[in-house]
């Protein structure tokens, strides 16, 4: 099988024959052709099959009211006692509300609420306990913030409570492999979804992950899951894909995915990147604990924006929003000095 990764550019000096990436300001005139067992090589537009071109270039429709005319920020709200970076800080509803309001003021476009830590080595939280964590927070946020909420869960019963409470998106780190009822619930209730790649369960995924070609293996998994979700009745236009940085991946795996992120535009869906404060940033930079990894997280976020990624999931909303504003100003002259 052949895979085509657009070589994304944002330079204002755009050739007439260039094509848009996902209908946005990024464009490409060449792609990297990937074939298993061979080194990638550059090809021009004429060599790219029509089905790939259509998926790469088509504009992405808004999801949960969020348009993808620029990189969007998903603010992380963990209401858990044991998340790897901020566990225990926001598990009380009043503290969670204050933090969510702060993220919204700072530039978040979506608030992603999670009641179960899926860090490496974590154990599964019972449904009742997860609901008890997220339900009061969602109800507290529903009337207070003017941006959509996402529920970060693998479980259909948790998603049902969250959506009934006001969540507008289901974000499943298992890629809809943990609970078969979750995809069915989202399809029947027209709930947009984010499908993420993870190799193995959180309890053991860090022990010895193996891939033939991590970039292409992750692409194939996401392609299969998007196809399955479409068959259930969820339109591709309402599916977000996430390559799952840090979920069953060693540092070389993470770096290969980050280097080749634009391949995932070939799925025809908005692409989400969640690398904020992840362990590989600490290993490479020497920044410990996780709360010290904001500069490295921003560097990865800017690299993702430069490949046309539509959504960046972050802990440090204000700092990332500032960095993206400067990136846009430098890249497009996008600044009103009036």
């Amino acid at each position: 099988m052949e895979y085509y990764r657009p070589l994304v550019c944002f330079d204002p000096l755009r050739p007439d024959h260039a094509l848009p990436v996902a209908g946005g300001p990024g464009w490409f005139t060449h792609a990297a052709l990937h074939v298993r067992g061979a080194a990638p090589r550059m090809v021009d537009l004429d060599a790219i099959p029509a089905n790939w071109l259509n998926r790469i270039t088509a504009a992405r429709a808004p999801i949960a009211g969020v348009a993808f005319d620029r990189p969007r920020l998903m603010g992380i709200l963990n209401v858990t006692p044991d998340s790897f970076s901020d566990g225990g800080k926001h598990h009380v509803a009043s503290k969670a509300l204050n933090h969510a309001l702060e993220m919204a003021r700072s530039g978040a476009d979506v608030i992603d609420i999670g009641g179960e830590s899926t860090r490496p080595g974590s154990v599964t939280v019972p449904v009742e306990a997860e609901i008890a964590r997220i339900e009061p927070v969602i109800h507290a946020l529903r009337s207070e913030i003017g941006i959509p909420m996402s529920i970060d869960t693998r479980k259909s019963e948790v998603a049902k409570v969250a959506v009934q409470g006001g969540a507008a998106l289901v974000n499943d780190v298992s890629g809809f492999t943990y609970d078969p009822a979750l995809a069915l619930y989202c399809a029947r209730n027209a709930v947009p979804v984010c499908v993420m790649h993870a190799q193995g369960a959180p309890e053991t995924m860090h022990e010895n992950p193996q891939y033939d070609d991590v970039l292409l293996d992750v692409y194939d998994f996401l392609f299969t899951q998007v196809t399955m979700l479409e068959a259930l009745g969820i339109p591709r236009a309402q599916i977000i894909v996430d390559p799952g940085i840090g979920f069953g991946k060693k540092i070389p795996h993470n770096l290969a995915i980050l280097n080749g992120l634009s391949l995932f535009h070939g799925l025809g869906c908005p692409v989400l990147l969640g690398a904020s404060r992840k362990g590989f940033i600490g290993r490479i930079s020497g920044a410990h604990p996780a709360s010290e990894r904001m500069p490295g997280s921003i560097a990865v976020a800017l690299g993702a924006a430069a490949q046309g990624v539509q959504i960046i999931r972050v802990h440090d909303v204000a700092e990332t929003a500032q960095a993206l504003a400067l990136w846009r100003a430098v890249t497009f002259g996008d600044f009103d000095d009036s």
Side-chain angles (χ1 to χ4, degrees):
M1 180 174 172
E2 296 178 338
Y3 305 77
Y4 295 86
R5 175 170 58 88
L7 302 178
V8 185
C9 185
F10 286 92
D11 197 292
L13 191 61
R14 174 174 173 165
D16 291 339
H17 69 289
L19 295 177
V21 175
W27 52 268
F28 71 113
T29 57
H30 293 79
L33 169 60
H34 292 256
V35 179
R36 291 180 182 274
R41 61 184 179 87
M42 186 182 296
V43 297
D44 61 24
L45 297 177
D46 292 339
I48 304 174
N51 60 335
W52 276 86
L53 279 178
N54 291 338
R55 292 197 301 263
I56 292 169
T57 60
R60 306 310 188 232
I63 293 180
V66 177
F68 300 116
D69 53 335
R70 57 182 172 84
R72 298 294 183 169
L73 293 180
M74 175 180 278
I76 299 169
L77 184 59
N78 289 320
V79 291
T80 61
D82 57 347
S83 291
F84 79 96
S85 176
D86 54 0
K89 291 184 69 175
H90 310 120
H91 69 288
V92 176
S94 59
K95 291 183 177 180
L97 173 59
N98 289 336
H99 186 55
L101 289 170
E102 180 185 353
M103 289 193 289
R105 286 191 297 266
S106 298
D109 300 288
V110 182
I111 301 295
D112 193 39
I113 303 163
E116 177 184 50
S117 174
T118 48
R119 74 191 191 286
S122 62
V123 297
T124 300
V125 173
V127 168
E128 297 78 10
E130 191 174 341
I131 289 173
R133 291 173 180 177
I134 62 98
E135 188 172 22
V137 172
I138 287 176
H139 282 291
L141 267 59
R142 182 174 187 172
S143 61
E144 296 292 335
I145 62 171
I147 58 175
M149 294 179 288
S150 167
I151 180 63
D152 177 359
T153 188
R154 303 178 288 168
K155 306 180 183 92
S156 56
E157 290 302 313
V158 177
K160 182 178 179 180
V161 169
V163 170
Q164 290 176 345
L169 172 72
V170 170
N171 179 16
D172 182 0
V173 299
S174 81
F176 295 88
T177 63
Y178 180 82
D179 179 356
L182 181 54
L184 288 170
Y185 171 77
C186 294
R188 289 169 181 165
N189 292 276
V191 181
V193 300
C194 179
V195 54
M196 195 194 83
H197 174 274
Q199 187 181 97
E203 293 90 338
T204 58
M205 64 185 180
H206 57 293
E207 292 179 358
N208 189 32
Q210 300 288 328
Y211 297 90
D212 293 327
D213 182 313
V214 65
L215 186 64
L216 306 187
D217 290 352
V218 171
Y219 182 94
D220 285 349
F221 171 85
L222 292 173
F223 182 90
T224 298
Q225 295 308 100
V226 168
T227 302
M228 178 272 293
L229 293 167
E230 268 196 309
L232 290 177
I234 302 175
R236 186 176 294 252
Q238 296 298 296
I239 301 172
I240 298 165
V241 294
D242 177 354
I245 296 297
F247 282 79
K249 300 171 183 73
K250 298 179 181 178
I251 290 179
H253 299 144
N254 290 321
L255 297 180
I257 290 169
L258 291 170
N259 181 263
L261 271 176
S262 63
L263 176 71
F264 300 105
H265 294 304
L267 293 164
C269 303
V271 180
L272 182 149
L273 182 75
S276 180
R277 301 186 185 179
K278 292 284 176 75
F280 81 99
I281 295 175
R283 290 280 303 278
I284 292 171
S285 68
H288 302 286
S291 58
E292 298 298 316
R293 298 173 190 161
M294 180 266 290
S297 299
I298 288 177
V300 175
L302 292 176
Q307 293 202 50
V309 166
Q310 286 88 2
I311 310 170
I312 303 170
R313 185 176 182 272
V314 299
H315 296 86
D316 304 293
V317 172
E319 294 85 352
T320 311
Q322 182 182 125
L324 286 172
L326 268 294
W327 175 77
R328 287 180 59 83
V330 170
T331 304
F332 308 113
D334 187 4
F335 177 65
D336 184 0
D337 198 23
S338 60

